[in-house]
Each structure stands twice: as structure tokens, then as C-alpha cells.
Amino acid sequence: MSGGGDTRAAIARPGMAVAHGPVAPSSPEQVTLLPVQRSFSLPRFSRATPSISLAESVLKVWHEAYNSGLLPQLVAQHSLAMAQNGAVPSEATKRDQNLKRGNWGNQIEFVLTSVGYAVGLGNVWRFPYLCYRNGGGAFMFPYFIMLIFCGIPLFFMELSFGQFASQGCLGVWRISPMFKGVGYGMMVVSTYIGIYYNVVICIAFYYFFSSMTHVLPWAYCNNPWNTRDCAGVLDASNLTNGSRPATLPSNLSHLLNHSLQRTSPSEEYWRLYVLKLSDDIGNFGEVRLPLLGCLSVSWVVVFLCLIRGVKSSGKVVYFTATFPYVVLTILFVRGVTLEGAFTGIMYYLTPQWDKILEAKVWGDAASQIFYSLGCAWGGLITMASYNKFHNNCYRDSVIISITNCATSVYAGFVIFSILGFMASHLGVDVSRVADHGPGLAFVAYPEALTLLPISPLWSLLFFFMLILLGLGTQFCLLETLVTAIVDEVGNEWILQKKTYVTLGVAVAGFLLGIPLTSQAGIYWLLLMDNYAASFSLVVISCIMCVAIMYIYGHQNYFQDIQMMLGFPPPLFFQICWRFVSPAIIFFILVFTVIQYQPITYNHYQYPGWAVAIGFLMALSSVLCIPLYAMFQLCRTDGDTLLQRLKNATKPSRDWGPALLENRTGRYTPTIIPSPDDGFEVQPLHPDKAQIPTVGSNGSSRLQASRI
């Protein structure tokens, strides 16, 4: 007799039956399931159905098979299918695939997607600047301390959280329904980031297309948009013969060193031509049509890569997550061979040990780890939800976290080798040319590239790398929103129309991003970057730790991980989850508040009303948590507030693994669940008796049945 999971499957899919009539043992029909005209008619069990023992249900199935003369074939088929699947009676089958939502094609796809999600633009344009500003090599010490005690534990928690429930950032809060507002907060944050992140990608696309020329348009000061204050690194007289001066004229070097009124051609290209920057955040001016066109290209690329959900994006990341390392290596080899590169690298790495005693250095290290890994965005939970249930997410979390941080360090060598060469060429200190954010990506580094032979080639490679780094993060941001919507609705219709949901979210993101392509767009982009995803992420992550460790219970969660992985989380992670990581998160929050300074862009001071909008964006994600908690308390049964509070925080009855055969131990169902419960039956052998089901991308495909 089969195990409980097989019987449940037989009941859940009564439309499939076994081969009929006498069948010889050597006949092909003995190993091939065939449809029959008659199927077993069984009662449908729902939540309202009185409790019927599993044994009685099993007996009904086998009794009808016996009366129909199909019992020998049923037993033979069932035993043979289990043997071919590598299982024995009463043993869980080895295949673990969620037919309703789909899974990654293989584990490499998940790892590469997570690496692409974590490794983004911040690794290139923020970490190197933070490192040199906070003591060079000395900054590495607090950076890796924070990685060990905060980064990896939080990464592991989010991966295990999503993988255990096989749900997105909303569905996982069946663990404690009152805290579902945390999931909505994650969605709000991902929405903000997704809007402006793709605008950054579109600017990278613009620079990529502009680099397809013999002479980079930001190399000289003889363009129509240049002003009299422009002072180029190259002599404009060499434009015709293409030669480069061996050294700068002394008067030009003097001007670059001492005249604050002089601007570089790359800065004027960025400010006066690409952005046509207005004088105030409220003065939108015109929409920059070239940027709008590149924005549409960005969203089309993102949509096409996600058109089949993780099935299509999992294939794309083989290129988008790996090729940036090829470009980084090419730029690194080229950079370290340049004159002055060693000076730049030493500026980047030389430790200033006295700065370790400054709280600001530790705060910057903790913040960089936290934001770089993408914690509390909802993307890690979403990506892990497509894993198979018994995947070793502990191993994955360590690999991905270390890869992310190593990439940041490696990118620092690439950036500062080129900046050191530029500083040597100009005869100035490295600090004069070092920058971060858009200033590094679209002003300082492009200007340094003009000094290289065949500069358009290096420019193409650099901006192509930025595009791929941005797309890897954008894929997960969009998939987070789509998965949350589809999981929340959860019916067959929206599963079939998931592609249209993806299209709708992409179109909405494009329309909301149009104001950021106006002449005031860069002001709004930086406003969203500074406020929409700042302290709100810290609050969300802190509440998530408290809800899982102290409301749901650390012992319960440790048992869940042991059931999923086969071993409990190591003692180090147990201590970090309960005490160390929440304390570090709280420290980051306090540090963020203490170190707060009103936002500026170059010499422009944001007006008070713009800062107020920034705070409203930050609060919009945090307020989801108390608002939904009050809503949940109002709709929860209970005579007193305390009873309502207890009922609202305890796990819902459908919390646990998504597949029935994984619901063991305290998750073993006592009655036969109905399809409305959201559970799914696992196929025994995929090569037999295939029936059409809906895949993760909404398309129909053949999948196997149990019987």
C-alpha cells in the first residue's frame, strides 16, 4: 500500500485512471499509463467537510478499483512508478517540483540570478568611493565583520523563508498574518527602486549608443553645448589628426588645479546635453526624447527577458550575470598597465587605521552590506520561492554573499586604476577626480576613458557592463512585484495570464518613469534613491527578524529549516538571527538618523517641499506595517483585544510547505485538503500519463499525474 502522499494525489486527480483490461507483464501498457473511459467517482473534500480519516478515503479508492477489476493493474503501476522514481513504499519521492508556480530549470540559474540581483550598480559606483573615504584598506575590516554577522545571516534567513513556503513576499506572511504589511512594504520599496533603477539603465543605454563613434562626444570642448569654461583633458587641436598629447600644457594643468570655474567636457556633456538640466526640481521643462526612447528600450528588454517568468530569466542570467566579470577583468588588465594606476590603487587600499575608531566608518560598512545584498526588498524571498523544497539554500547564501562582496572589492581595483591614471595625467591628487554615484559612472570614469587609445571601445565595454549589472537587479525587482500579485490572487485565471501581469507592471513602470527623463529628472531620481530605499528598508528588515524569531518562535523556525534542509541552522546563525543581526540593524537605523543630512546635488540644495516628499516616500512603505496590522486585528475573531492579537499573530492553517508530500511532522494534514487550500500534489513519474497544466509563465504544458 502506498504512502499518504500517493493516496492524496489519487484523490486529488480523479480524472486519471490506470490501464484497463488484462495486461501481460511484458506488455508496453504495463509501464505506460493509459486513459480509460471510466474514472473513480469520489466525494470532494473541502474545509467544510466533516473530518474523514485518511484511511477511509484510501479504502474507498482501492475498493472501487477492486470492484472494477483494476486492482492488480493499479498495484503494479503504482509500485513500478515508485521504483522508477527512486522511491520505495512509505518513502517520499525524490522529485520535488511545484507544478503550479514552476521552479528554476536548475540550481545554477538560481545562484546566477541571485548574484545578478545582489551585484548591481552600487558595487561599482558606491563601494570603491566609500572604501577610500573611510580609511582605504582599514575599511575592509568593519566591512567583512558586518558581512559575517549581519549580511550572510540575513541573506540566509530570507532565502530559507521564501524557499520553505514557496511563496512571494506576501504569501510568506501566512507565518503570522498580522505582519503581512511587511510584505506590502517590500512591494512598495521594490516599486520605487524599479522605477528609478531602469532610468539609470536607460542613461547607460544612451551612453552606450553614443559611444558608437570614432571620437567620444565628451572628449573635447568644441561641441555646440560646451561653454567657455570648458577645459578638456585633450587638446582640441588634435581632433583632426587623432593624436594625443604626451603631456598636458602647463596652463591647462594650472587651470584644472586652481580654477573652480572650469568644467570638464564630460561634465558639460552630462549636464548640458544629456540631461539639459533645469535649475530647480520643480522646473520639469521638456521630456528628453532620446532618454525616453532608451527608457522604452530598457523596459522592453526587461519584459522580454521575463516573458516566461523564471523559465526565461533563468536562461538570460547565464549571460547577464557572468559577462560583467569578463568586462571587469578586461578593464582591470587595461587599467593596471597604465601609468599612475598603482597610485590610484594605493589610494584605494592604503589603510588609515585611526578611522576604525570612528562610528561613521562602521555605520557606512553596515549600511553598504545591508543595501548591497538587497535585504528587505522582497527579491530574495521571491527568487528562493522558485527553488525546490530541499535545495541547500544555506550553501547558496554563503556563496552569493561572498561573491557580492568580492565583486565590490574587485570593482574598486578597476575604478581606481583608471582614476589613478587620470590623476597622474592631470597632475592632481586622486581625491580630485574620485567621485561616486552618477558622477562616477557618467562623468569621471567616461572622462578617464577618453585618455585611452581606442577610447570608444573601452567606453562601449564599460557602459555595456553597467547595463548588464542594472538588468540583473531589475529582473528580480519586476519578478518580485509580479510574483506577489499572482500569488496573492492565486486562481487559475491569473496563473494563465501571468505574462499579461508582467506586461502590465512593465507598462506602469515605464509610464511612472517618464517624469525622470525630463530636465528635472535627475533631481527626482536622486530624491528617490536617497529616501525611498533608505531607513525604510532597515525598519522592514528589523520587524521581519522580530516577527520570525520572537512572534512565530525561533524553535519553530529552526525545526522548519531542519525539515527542509535535513539539518538545523548552525548555532552561529541561530545566535545572529536572535540577537546579533537585529542589534546591528538597529545600529544602522540609529546611525542613519544621526548622520542624516538634507539631500543636495552638486551645489543645488533641495527645497523643503521636495525633502518632505522624500520622507513621505520613505514612510509610505513603513506605514504599510501598522496599517495592515490594525486591519488584520479588526477582521480577526476574538472577544478581547488580547485574543484577537493572539489569533492574528499565530500561523494560518495553510502555512507550511506548498507541496503535500513535503508537509510532514506537524504540517501533516488531518483531512484531505481541497484545491482551495492552495496545496499542490507532486507527480510521481514525469514520463507517464501526462496531462496539461499551467506553468509558471502562464502557458500550458504537459505534466505527469500520480495514477
Side-chain angles (χ1 to χ4, degrees), residues 47 64 92 189 209 315 336 363 393 433 453 462 479 500 543:
R47 297 180 184 178
E64 185 166 351
V189 169
F209 295 140
K315 304 300 183 290
V336 296
C393 58
V433 297
F462 176 72
E479 185 62 38
Y500 296 101
I543 294 177

Side-chain angles (χ1 to χ4, degrees), residues 467-478:
I467 292 170
L468 295 182
L469 289 175
L471 288 176
T473 302
Q474 189 69 18
F475 291 159
C476 296
L477 290 171
L478 185 60

